[in-house]
Amino acid sequence: MRFRHPDGSTVHLAYCTNVHSAETLDGVRAQLRDHCEPVRRRLGRDRLGIGLWLARDAARALTDDPSELRSLRAELDRRGLEVVTLNGFPYRGFGADEVKYRVYRPDWTDPERLAHTTALARLLAGLLPDDVTEGTISTLPIAWRTPFASDPEAAGLAHTALTTLGERLDALAELTGKSIRIGLEPEPGCTIETTADAHTPLAAIGHPRIGICVDTCHLATSFEDPETAVDALDAAGIRVAKAQLSAALHAEHPHLPEVRSALAAFAEPRFLHQTRTRAATGALHGTDDLDEALTGPALPDRTPWRAHFHVPLHAPPTPPLTSTLPVLRSALTRLVGGPRPLTAHLEVETYTWQALPAALRPRSRAQLTDGIAAELTLARDLLSDLGLKELP
């Protein structure tokens, strides 16, 4: 979906396909047929943007055979789909029964992360619509905090890899005329946990093609004020390559038994649900997972909790829980509601539909299609309220 900003520029809205499990190229094509095109039809649109996730094996199949890339591009066109952004964070196994910490491997100290992201950039340059010259890729925020913090060589390895990536993106732009930008995506528990943590490493890398991806669920989980965070990035000259529109799980009174019981329904074995609270002193306390917060004494429970659980934008959990949709609204207002957009790529990223409590999960392909379409409709309405005009 494309929107015209009041300044005349185009803002793209997509939904991320990491919600659908696919490790192979055949699986990606099945996603387009079984999910993406039906969402487009449900919205009544001639064209729909998707934030494509290409796992390692799918990316390698496209890289090894250029005819497969041309075929995929043609299939996207035929189904009324377009790709301007990729989710390069998960490497493989995102549809496994247990993902947890594995999603952070390989990190930016591992040469395979550089090789994979380079391949994604080249593929994206070939998938961009003819009238689009800039693409974006989100990636993990360097590494999970351990063992990175205790390795004296880790920071240097990551810095070198990202600097090399910037140079490769420069060469790709010169060769293809397509500018690909990378967004490091701050996430609780990682080396770059907050947007503020990104300032120093990005300044050290100092390459204009390496910026940040603002995920509004992660922003909220870390209790960052969205306006302050985005303003600081803008003032520092840090480019917001893309923003992922997502909402975290919020519990206002986690000490109450009924609240803890409601939270326990979201503690599931597949994904990591980092949980945070901000004490009255302003200090941030956290656990790596929601069950750890619920069963142990590590997390103070007299101030609100937020958990890294991407809940559907249009359907917050029932009381006594809610979502951090207001944080998304504030961030979006600052990102695209001003005299100029601070990013041109927006991506709805609720990948946890099948991890929701059983009563809330979609029970059919059609129900999932309805849910994704409803999220995109909410995002579209928010953009319209900010003065952006939807384009055909």
Side-chain angles (χ1 to χ4, degrees):
M1 299 167 75
R2 298 187 185 192
F3 295 80
R4 182 73 67 203
H5 189 273
D7 76 344
S9 63
T10 300
V11 173
H12 296 263
L13 173 66
Y15 92 89
C16 186
T17 64
N18 64 354
V19 62
H20 313 302
S21 299
E23 298 287 322
T24 66
L25 185 53
D26 285 343
V28 170
R29 291 198 169 101
Q31 289 178 348
L32 304 183
R33 180 193 67 228
D34 297 338
H35 299 288
C36 302
E37 187 176 7
V39 170
R40 178 184 65 76
R41 293 184 182 277
R42 192 63 49 88
L43 289 166
R45 303 295 302 162
D46 293 333
R47 175 173 55 190
L48 177 68
I50 57 171
L52 197 60
W53 173 56
L54 295 173
R56 182 200 66 173
D57 290 349
R60 287 185 178 178
L62 291 168
T63 301
D64 292 344
D65 187 348
S67 68
E68 292 284 14
L69 181 61
R70 292 192 294 270
S71 174
L72 180 61
R73 167 69 185 275
E75 183 167 358
L76 289 165
D77 291 342
R78 187 172 67 253
R79 297 190 183 279
L81 306 170
E82 67 177 13
V83 175
V84 302
T85 188
L86 300 180
N87 188 328
F89 195 137
Y91 175 69
R92 61 179 174 180
F94 202 60
D97 292 337
E98 183 179 335
V99 179
K100 298 290 184 181
Y101 295 95
R102 288 188 293 172
V103 75
Y104 307 106
R105 300 194 297 266
D107 62 30
W108 278 101
T109 66
D110 188 329
E112 181 52 34
R113 175 59 67 171
L114 173 60
H116 179 62
T117 309
T118 301
L120 292 180
R122 291 169 178 160
L123 294 173
L124 180 55
L127 292 173
L128 287 177
D130 291 339
D131 62 343
V132 175
T133 58
E134 182 168 311
T136 57
I137 302 173
S138 48
T139 187
L140 81 162
I142 299 183
W144 185 252
R145 67 181 185 276
T146 55
F148 185 94
S150 60
D151 183 350
E153 297 182 357
L157 290 170
H159 179 276
T160 299
L162 287 163
T163 300
T164 300
L165 177 64
E167 294 168 352
R168 291 179 179 179
L169 296 177
D170 285 342
L172 182 64
E174 185 174 351
L175 178 66
T176 66
K178 304 290 187 177
S179 176
I180 308 299
R181 298 182 184 276
I182 305 298
L184 302 180
E185 183 183 333
E187 179 170 318
C190 291
T191 301
I192 299 176
E193 175 157 341
T194 67
T195 59
D197 293 337
H199 287 224
T200 298
L202 286 175
I205 295 165
H207 198 289
R209 297 191 192 278
I210 312 295
I212 197 169
C213 169
V214 174
D215 184 305
T216 57
C217 171
H218 303 172
L219 193 76
T221 302
S222 294
F223 286 86
E224 289 194 82
D225 175 74
E227 293 187 5
T228 301
V230 174
D231 285 348
L233 293 171
D234 191 37
I238 295 174
R239 176 78 174 267
V240 180
K242 65 187 278 190
Q244 290 175 324
L245 308 183
S246 53
L249 191 63
H250 180 94
E252 187 68 20
H253 303 291
H255 65 285
L256 297 177
E258 61 268 28
V259 176
R260 298 178 84 89
S261 177
L263 283 170
F266 288 83
E268 52 83 39
R270 185 172 175 184
F271 298 112
L272 205 60
H273 301 298
Q274 303 94 311
T275 305
R276 299 289 185 267
T277 189
R278 185 175 292 283
T281 60
L284 198 64
H285 302 276
T287 59
D288 282 358
D289 216 344
L290 180 56
D291 55 359
E292 181 185 352
L294 290 168
T295 59
L299 204 60
D301 62 4
R302 294 293 167 170
T303 48
W305 286 5
R306 289 177 178 172
H308 174 216
F309 195 118
H310 290 221
V311 296
L313 303 186
H314 69 293
T318 56
L321 303 179
T322 187
S323 81
T324 60
L325 186 61
V327 174
L328 185 159
R329 292 177 186 269
S330 295
L332 191 62
T333 298
R334 185 65 190 90
L335 286 166
V336 300
R340 62 180 176 89
L342 301 183
T343 185
H345 293 174
L346 306 172
E347 179 183 66
V348 172
E349 198 215 11
T350 304
Y351 58 83
T352 44
W353 283 95
Q354 298 304 332
L356 288 166
L360 303 178
R361 289 176 206 158
R363 294 184 297 277
S364 66
R365 190 179 295 167
Q367 286 187 349
L368 179 58
T369 296
D370 288 342
I372 293 170
E375 288 194 294
L376 285 166
T377 298
L378 183 148
R380 179 192 64 193
D381 291 346
L382 291 178
L383 292 174
S384 296
D385 290 345
L386 292 172
L388 282 72
K389 181 180 179 181
E390 188 176 2
L391 298 173

